[in-house]
Amino acid sequence: LADNYDLVVIGSGATGMTAAIQAHELGLRVAIFEKLAALGGNSRRASSGLNAVETFVQLDQGVIDAQSSFYADTLKGGGGTNNPLLLNYFVTHAESAFDWLYRHDIILTDLTAMGGMSQKRAHRPANKSAVGNYLVEGLQKQLLAQGIPLFTETKVLKLIKDVQTEQISAVKIEHPQLGQKDITAKAVLIATGGFAQNQTLLAKYAPQVLGRKTTNHPGATGDGMALATAVGSSLVDMNKVQIHPTVQQDGDHVYLIGEGVRGEGAILVNQAGQRFVNEMTTRDKVTAAIDALDENGATLIFDQAVREAFPAINFYLAIGLVWEGATLADLAQKAGLDVAGLTETLHTWNTSQAQGTDVAFQRATGIERGLNHAPYYAIHIKPAIHYTMGGVKINALTEVLTDQEKPILGLYAAGEVTGGLHGDNRMGGNSLAETVVFGRQAGKEITKYVRTH
Ligand code: ADP
């Protein structure tokens, strides 16, 4: 641990690691501080994919997509409230982010669809394994190969502003052996993630979500919002908290059941065995439909073909989250669903699927396959707090802004800690894309700043 660096990155999620690698490759001396023993934050838990358009993967698979469609889908998913400058930077740089990963040996050549997407644009590893873990491990390999230091169990307590220059000039850390220490930096990047684990902040900004469990890792306590506001930053969209519709939470642990299960063909039913929503609409709408049932959640139904297309299901099976039935009737009984209702629903769904139109709910993605390969499976799910859309106010250069929209010199933020990109509701696959798009942008912009200060 040195006393000074060009860049201090706070947080070891995909945002912080990407920014550190980019800045290091541009010549900066970088260190990453991570408060927990484990690295990867919420990024490591990401299950769906990384959204990008016009990639060679899409074209090789015959998917013709466009930045304009990516922009329109994200804006619609966000209720039209997304920050247009951030959104524009995002959709125009997702493909180069994807390529950057590819050149760093992080290869995402399988495609799937998430709720609200008009094309398959969520990229994931070829073997369809969990994308977040793969991404974090790939980035970690790069850190090691490039000799970029990462200090775990080292919490950043405070940002220090030089009173004369008004620039952020140091951070105060709590190191496991050295105790509290000031580390000088020419610039600081806040990449500390969201606040879904902070009950006080949730109660203050988003009391509507209190009482629900969360899918988040324990470090998601909103430290970045406190660090940034203490030196004059503005916060935006703090009341916007995403509830993920499909979370298994009947035991002690909370398990997010990736949207990819629906993307590959699973449907959702109520206790009568009936569908009640377009399963591939946005997360906020699916959650609202489940809440409206008033049945303590709902049940995902799928078959052996979906299981094979989404191998994470093997993990859910191994830990006992999944009911398995040799026949539909068998499954309905185990899952406590109406047998005749479920049988009728599957018959209708398979007929609609074969005809290519979902007459009941107009579902347009995840209908490539019917549900007719035994054995059949069911998972009981219920919505849980998943993502905090709001946070530190930045511009498209990742500069942290005051209430007067003035950049705080030497202070940058990117990833879940920031607010504005996603509007009212984030689309699946956009958070990982955000980490790499804005992580790279931060690395680049900070280098520019450091070279001239
Ligand atoms: P993103 O998706 O934006 O990269 P993540 O949730 O993946 O966000 O990662 C954020 C990381 O920042 C987590 O590993 C978290 O433990 C870490 N972190 C949060 N607050 C601090 C802090 N005060 N000091 C150091 N690390 C922090």
Side-chain angles (χ1 to χ4, degrees), residues 7-13 15-17 19 31-33 156 158-160 168 170-171 187-194 222-235 391-394 398-401 408 410-419 434-435 438-439 442 446:
L7 167 62
V8 159
V9 173
I10 317 174
S12 72
T15 306
M17 290 205 275
I32 305 175
F33 295 123
V156 173
K158 196 175 173 236
L159 303 176
I160 298 163
I168 299 299
V171 297
V188 174
L189 174 67
I190 307 176
T192 48
D223 298 14
M225 288 79 182
L227 291 169
T229 48
V231 293
S233 127
S234 184
L235 300 178
V392 174
K393 188 181 208 172
I394 58 163
T398 69
E399 294 171 328
V400 173
L401 303 178
I408 298 172
L411 187 60
Y412 295 76
E416 191 177 352
V417 72
T418 66
E434 175 184 26
T435 66
F438 287 97
I446 291 167

Side-chain angles (χ1 to χ4, degrees), residues 222-373:
D223 298 14
M225 288 79 182
L227 291 169
T229 48
V231 293
S233 127
S234 184
L235 300 178
V236 289
D237 292 351
M238 290 291 283
N239 59 327
K240 298 177 177 178
V241 174
Q242 177 168 84
I243 310 298
H244 194 291
T246 58
V247 180
Q248 217 306 316
Q249 45 188 292
D250 296 332
D252 291 343
H253 290 275
V254 172
Y255 295 97
L256 182 134
I257 308 299
E259 208 158 322
V261 182
R262 283 173 280 143
E264 297 301 338
I267 59 170
L268 275 168
V269 300
N270 60 17
Q271 286 168 6
Q274 296 154 341
R275 289 178 67 217
F276 56 90
V277 67
N278 168 2
E279 295 86 350
M280 295 304 289
T281 185
T282 49
R283 291 173 175 175
D284 51 348
K285 297 203 176 79
V286 179
T287 291
I290 296 170
D291 285 349
L293 294 175
D294 203 16
E295 293 182 353
N296 188 34
T299 304
L300 276 168
I301 303 288
F302 51 96
D303 70 349
Q304 181 62 21
V306 173
R307 176 182 171 186
E308 282 164 18
F310 196 78
I313 288 165
N314 294 326
F315 169 73
Y316 306 145
L317 262 158
I319 58 173
L321 304 183
V322 187
W323 289 294
E324 179 173 344
T327 63
L328 267 185
D330 180 24
L331 183 75
Q333 255 155 17
K334 285 181 176 150
L337 306 172
D338 184 78
V339 177
L342 186 65
T343 308
E344 165 85 29
T345 296
L346 269 272
H347 177 73
T348 309
W349 171 247
N350 286 336
T351 310
S352 305
Q353 189 279 325
Q355 290 166 353
T357 42
D358 171 21
V359 186
F361 297 102
Q362 287 80 48
R363 171 166 165 178
T365 51
I367 57 166
E368 289 82 356
R369 55 171 77 81
L371 297 173
N372 41 31
H373 293 85

